[in-house]
Amino acid sequence: MTPVYGAGTLLLIAGLAVAVLLVLIIALRMHAFVALVLVSLGTAVAAGVPLADVPTISIAAFGSTLGSVALLVGLGVMIGRLLEVTGGAQVLADTLVSRFGEKRAPMALGVAALLFGLPIFFDAGLVVFLPIIFSVAKRFGGSVLMYALPAAGAFAAMHAIVPPHPGPVTAATEIDASIGLTLLVGVVVAVIAWFVGVYVVTTSWLGKVYVPIDDTVLTGGREADTEAPPAFGHVLGILLLPLVLIGANTILTTLRTNGTIAEEGGLVDAVVFIGQTPVALLIALLVATYTLAIRRHSRGEVETLLNDALGPICAIILITGAGGMFGGVLRYSGIGEALSDSLADLGLPLIVSAFVIATILRVAQGSATVALTTTAGLLSAAVADADPSSLQLVALVLAIAAGATVLSHVNDSGFWLVSRFFGMDVKTTLRTWTVLETTLGVTIFVLALGVWAVG
């Protein structure tokens, strides 16, 4: 559509839209999904989109985002749930602690959380790891934060930048970055960022803030199967299977693009097919179902487990789709292009703009998902104009995720989750968790700059 207004007016509309969104979510406590849909429709009308086209444009953007996000998130959370209830998470942590030794117990928990964090969300992973964290903390003593923060920080790192988590999937979709390449690069960046921004910071500083062990927060629910737990190699294989398949897809696709191998070939086509992210996750889910769950539970129980896994993620998926709707409206109305021109005039590099905008939105309204989806939508036009390489697109996803990670505080649900689970007051949580999220986010951004330079 040809913009109805000039760049200045469009930017004013965008600024007011974001401000209204923040007021609705923060001050009026409106649900983020409802607020995003409402603001998307209002922005389209204010920007001059014909009224008859507003529903069509909005629904198309919403559906496009969900088409990429919902499938990946749903399959990922199912895998995580099966590993949880079959005792896979416990086996993973216990084995690593025994192999790393007492002095490296915090690292063992962090490594276990990194592995288990591939398919499972931050909050779900933290809940699953609570008994493991408290068990290790009681065994070795000291502040619970020495063991809790490496694990929580690992889940936060994976959730922020590694598909199939909704934030990086949505950001990659919005700016047309390869989800497979984002996953491969994101895993490496997540591990490095965790070690520097979480583990080193915890063991040298934050873990020395004494917080007594209080496991009264543990509640009932379905317990993991401890009578016949799976082998460590079995669990590790399930977690690494989709990564290997996606990696093979990316390598073969790159070789085809470079002309190293022929563009046609049945075997290569098959490997590329099973290496598509949704297919790879589906294969991993089937393997987990029939090698883990079916041996321990009836088929009816497995169906119930998988069904229950999907319930808690509905809100996240809908918020993500609504964020995509908002971004789609911004692009269609010309606001995204106006913003890209303004950023160019300011002289800010695109990757710096990605980090700055995401940081502002994160601090203002708390939700990393909203910050990710809104920033990606705002920058999509600028990204298209800049025509970055595939690796640079991944760097932009990382930069957006970095900005959406820093400065977690009282308007972030994750802040309260960590605070209540580990028995910290607000002041202590600000001194520890907020600092940890910031060092993690800044480290991710520094690594994103490196990826951008290489790309």
Side-chain angles (χ1 to χ4, degrees):
M1 145 179 174
T2 303
V4 176
Y5 304 109
T9 302
L10 289 174
L11 289 177
L12 178 61
I13 293 172
L16 290 174
V18 173
V20 170
L21 179 63
L22 299 180
V23 169
L24 292 176
I25 295 175
I26 299 172
L28 300 182
R29 309 294 297 175
M30 182 178 288
H31 194 281
F33 170 66
V34 179
L36 281 165
V37 173
L38 181 61
V39 171
S40 297
L41 297 177
T43 302
V45 174
V49 176
L51 292 178
D53 295 339
V54 170
T56 302
I57 299 303
S58 302
I59 293 173
F62 181 81
S64 176
T65 303
L66 284 190
S68 300
V69 174
L71 185 60
L72 304 187
V73 174
L75 292 170
V77 77
M78 284 181 170
I79 296 171
R81 181 60 172 160
L82 291 181
L83 291 176
E84 171 195 345
V85 300
T86 57
Q90 185 72 51
V91 167
L92 200 63
D94 288 348
T95 303
L96 289 173
V97 167
S98 64
R99 293 183 180 180
F100 277 76
E102 177 181 344
K103 293 183 178 180
R104 295 183 178 178
M107 175 175 283
L109 286 172
V111 171
L114 285 170
L115 293 171
F116 195 60
L118 278 169
I120 198 169
F121 289 173
F122 168 78
D123 51 356
L126 196 56
V127 170
V128 171
F129 261 58
L130 276 180
I132 304 171
I133 292 170
F134 285 127
S135 175
V136 174
K138 286 182 176 180
R139 179 178 174 184
F140 299 126
S143 173
V144 71
L145 296 185
M146 184 62 76
Y147 310 97
L149 292 181
F155 282 119
M158 299 301 283
H159 188 79
I161 61 179
V162 179
H165 295 286
V169 169
T170 304
T173 301
E174 286 288 328
I175 64 174
D176 291 328
S178 166
I179 293 178
L181 187 59
T182 301
L183 187 153
L184 296 176
V185 175
V187 167
V188 177
V189 170
V191 172
I192 297 173
W194 170 81
F195 182 80
V196 176
V198 176
Y199 178 73
V200 172
V201 172
T202 297
T203 54
S204 62
W205 176 19
L206 300 179
K208 297 177 181 179
V209 177
Y210 181 72
V211 174
I213 301 168
D214 180 11
D215 59 358
T216 58
V217 296
L218 292 178
T219 59
R222 184 152 195 157
E223 296 182 356
D225 184 355
T226 56
E227 294 184 0
F232 172 77
H234 190 174
V235 178
L236 186 62
I238 290 173
L239 290 172
L240 295 181
L241 177 58
L243 188 64
V244 171
L245 294 177
I246 294 169
N249 170 298
T250 302
I251 292 171
L252 291 178
T253 301
T254 301
L255 292 176
R256 275 184 165 179
T257 302
N258 295 338
T260 305
I261 61 176
E263 292 186 3
E264 298 181 358
L267 180 59
V268 174
D269 286 342
V271 175
V272 170
F273 169 72
I274 64 175
Q276 297 291 332
T277 305
V279 179
L281 286 173
L282 177 61
I283 292 173
L285 174 61
L286 293 174
V287 171
T289 300
Y290 291 101
T291 64
L292 281 180
I294 292 297
R295 294 184 178 183
R296 294 166 176 81
H297 304 278
S298 68
R299 295 179 184 273
E301 288 176 329
V302 172
E303 182 183 4
T304 300
L305 288 174
L306 296 179
N307 185 64
D308 291 344
L310 295 177
I313 68 170
C314 288
I316 295 175
I317 291 177
L318 288 174
I319 290 172
T320 301
M325 177 191 294
F326 187 38
V329 167
L330 293 174
R331 290 193 303 273
Y332 184 79
S333 64
I335 292 175
E337 185 176 353
L339 178 63
S340 67
D341 293 340
S342 299
L343 291 174
D345 294 339
L346 291 175
L348 285 177
L350 185 59
I351 192 167
V352 176
S353 299
F355 177 74
V356 171
I357 294 173
T359 299
I360 292 172
L361 290 173
R362 160 70 158 174
V363 173
Q365 52 78 44
S367 170
T369 301
V370 173
L372 274 160
T373 55
T374 304
T375 302
L378 286 169
L379 289 178
S380 57
V383 172
D385 292 341
D387 192 26
S389 67
S390 297
L391 196 57
Q392 287 179 326
L393 286 172
V394 173
L396 286 172
V397 174
L398 296 176
I400 294 171
T405 299
V406 300
L407 296 172
S408 168
H409 62 99
V410 294
N411 61 359
D412 176 22
S413 60
F415 175 93
W416 295 106
L417 200 67
V418 171
S419 173
R420 294 300 168 258
F421 278 162
F422 302 116
M424 293 187 287
D425 58 25
V426 172
K427 182 178 179 180
T428 304
T429 312
L430 287 170
R431 290 174 54 203
T432 56
W433 179 248
T434 301
V435 172
L436 188 78
E437 283 276 82
T438 302
T439 56
L440 173 62
V442 170
T443 305
I444 293 172
F445 179 58
V446 171
L447 293 171
L449 291 175
V451 174
W452 177 270
V454 172

